Amino acid sequence: MLPSLPPSGGIGLKSVHFQDVLNEEDGAKHPGWVEVHPQNYFGDGGPLHRWLTAISGVYPLSLHSVGLSLGSAEGLNAHDLEKIADLCERYQPAMVSDHLSWSGNAHDRYPDLLPIPYTQESLDHFSAQIARVQDRLQRPILIENPSRYLSYRDDEMGETDFISALCRQAGCGLLFDINNVEVTATNVGLDMEAYVDAIDPEIVGEMHLAGHAREDHESGPLLIDDHGSIVSDVTWKLYQRFIERAGPKPTLIEWDTDIPEYDVLMTEVDKVEAILSAHSGEEEPHALAG
């Protein structure tokens, strides 16, 4: 069974909001949980760790890795895995996740999450790398569906079929990013609603919502997964469609560029809470931590 976060709205924690999430004044808004990129905390000490120690004492914590590069042909990034294992020992996070991607080879590291081919060989390789992570961390992890800008000619299965098979074979769960569904579906020509409907709620341990940028070209629109704006109307509708079927799930507002004021971020969290509450059997939104 997957470890669990509360089925409420969380935020991607940024240093500019450290003080806000610890604000104890009357009327202060608080998320239900927080998530950080562990690669930002690989140092042994300093202000970042002092803040995270204080915050993790109040909120459930999720570690969302961006550097394991599980799809690399040479295997995962062993340095990052050891550092994440150290952070798990130190902070005991409720969840750990990474991406359905690769971002390096034996000689170079790339600042991007690159797509993998959807073949049986790729499935077997990726499953083996997840097993290495789960054995080292002694816990199941989540893998996030990608935002894609291309498809491989030799793909042997669709993305949702690949994800379902991966979760079964590796014993992991899915971090279901709805913004990535809109981005990928628009860029490579998939049916967004069919994609959402194909995902088994039982494998979903966490969800992400974010904004994206749009470029209009003669060939059609190109969506860029920049996490730099409010969640789009399309993504909200797809999210509500999934929650209506799945029930409440831990849901993160992800905002990594052009970081807004805390109140703007929490307004997006309020939208999450309204949708979760409407499908939880409760009359009031989930209680917030703080």
Side-chain angles (χ1 to χ4, degrees), residues 27-276:
K29 290 188 174 182
H30 299 103
W33 52 282
V34 299
E35 183 170 274
V36 299
H37 298 308
Q39 282 77 9
N40 291 332
Y41 295 83
F42 279 178
D44 291 333
L48 282 178
H49 279 289
R50 289 196 292 274
W51 278 109
L52 191 58
T53 297
I55 292 168
S56 65
V58 177
Y59 298 98
L61 175 66
S62 178
L63 298 182
H64 185 47
S65 170
V66 294
L68 284 175
S69 192
L70 295 165
S72 291
E74 295 83 3
L76 59 79
N77 183 323
H79 171 268
D80 277 30
L81 177 57
E82 289 306 310
K83 288 293 187 179
I84 291 171
D86 290 343
L87 288 172
C88 286
E89 180 67 25
R90 184 170 185 172
Y91 291 106
Q92 298 297 310
M95 197 70 73
V96 178
S97 58
D98 206 283
H99 295 78
L100 186 60
S101 67
W102 64 284
S103 53
N105 58 30
H107 308 289
D108 299 292
R109 297 288 299 279
Y110 309 126
D112 209 342
L113 300 168
L114 301 169
I116 65 171
Y118 296 141
T119 64
Q120 186 62 50
E121 181 180 13
S122 180
L123 176 62
D124 292 341
H125 175 74
F126 212 95
S127 295
Q129 302 313 304
I130 292 174
R132 290 177 61 188
V133 176
Q134 294 183 149
D135 288 348
R136 178 66 183 89
L137 301 184
Q138 290 296 292
R139 62 162 70 208
I141 65 169
L142 306 180
I143 298 297
E144 180 180 339
N145 57 297
S147 53
R148 289 194 289 147
Y149 306 92
L150 57 84
S151 296
Y152 290 102
R153 181 181 298 121
D154 296 329
D155 280 351
E156 298 170 358
M157 62 190 88
E159 184 165 296
T160 56
D161 290 335
F162 188 94
I163 288 170
S164 296
L166 179 68
C167 290
R168 287 195 304 270
Q169 185 166 322
C172 66
L174 173 64
L175 194 169
F176 194 20
D177 190 313
I178 301 294
N179 174 64
N180 289 0
V181 174
E182 182 183 353
V183 169
T184 295
T186 301
N187 292 341
V188 304
L190 303 180
D191 184 321
M192 299 179 202
E193 292 185 348
Y195 189 118
V196 168
D197 292 346
I199 297 298
D200 179 1
E202 292 299 318
I203 68 174
V204 176
E206 180 180 331
M207 300 187 72
H208 278 185
L209 302 173
H212 55 259
R214 177 188 175 104
E215 295 181 357
D216 289 305
H217 301 273
E218 290 184 4
S219 58
L222 174 69
L223 303 189
I224 301 170
D225 185 28
D226 67 349
H227 300 172
S229 57
I230 61 172
V231 177
S232 76
D233 290 342
V234 171
T235 291
W236 280 121
K237 290 177 182 177
L238 292 172
Y239 173 65
Q240 182 158 343
R241 182 184 182 94
F242 183 76
I243 294 299
E244 285 174 353
R245 177 166 59 94
K249 295 285 185 179
T251 304
L252 186 86
I253 295 297
E254 196 174 25
W255 205 315
D256 294 319
T257 62
D258 195 18
I259 306 299
E261 295 294 325
Y262 183 71
D263 286 347
V264 174
L265 195 61
M266 291 307 299
T267 296
E268 294 290 272
V269 173
D270 287 343
K271 297 176 186 177
V272 169
E273 293 289 352
I275 292 172
L276 295 180

